[in-house]
Amino acid sequence: MADVLGNDQISAALEKLAGWAGDADGIERSVTAASFLDGIRLVAEVAHLAEAADHHPDIDIRWRTVTFRLSTHSAGGVTEKDIALARQINELIG
């Protein structure tokens, strides 16, 4: 099982993750896509990354706004797995 990160570790990681915010319970980023279909394509791309990592985010889609929420449920908080997936999501967003 992955180790839960402390608040200081999460804060330090978030400083390097543009657009992300959160705390020990989870980290989150919302993105406004150019169109609904672009948002769906982004979700599909993130789904492929998540499946490969065996680490699945909560995803909320509201028209063109897609919100990703990351937390390692089995560990009870934010772990390095969440930080790594957030980095990959940022790379997709550009």
Side-chain angles (χ1 to χ4, degrees), residues 24-27 55-58 69-74 76-79 82:
D25 293 327
I27 60 173
H55 190 62
H56 306 93
D58 294 330
R69 182 159 177 82
L70 304 174
S71 175
T72 305
H73 303 292
S74 61
V78 176
T79 68
D82 302 299

Side-chain angles (χ1 to χ4, degrees), residues 16-86:
K16 299 173 188 169
L17 287 169
W20 290 85
D23 55 28
D25 293 327
I27 60 173
E28 183 174 292
R29 180 174 182 180
S30 292
V31 178
T32 302
S35 70
F36 177 73
L37 288 177
D38 287 335
I40 295 300
R41 279 189 274 277
L42 176 60
V43 168
E45 291 176 6
V46 170
H48 285 286
L49 292 174
E51 194 66 16
D54 192 28
H55 190 62
H56 306 93
D58 294 330
I59 302 173
D60 182 65
I61 305 166
R62 309 281 171 130
W63 186 36
R64 297 182 312 135
T65 303
V66 180
T67 301
F68 300 98
R69 182 159 177 82
L70 304 174
S71 175
T72 305
H73 303 292
S74 61
V78 176
T79 68
E80 187 54 44
K81 288 178 125 182
D82 302 299
I83 303 303
L85 186 55

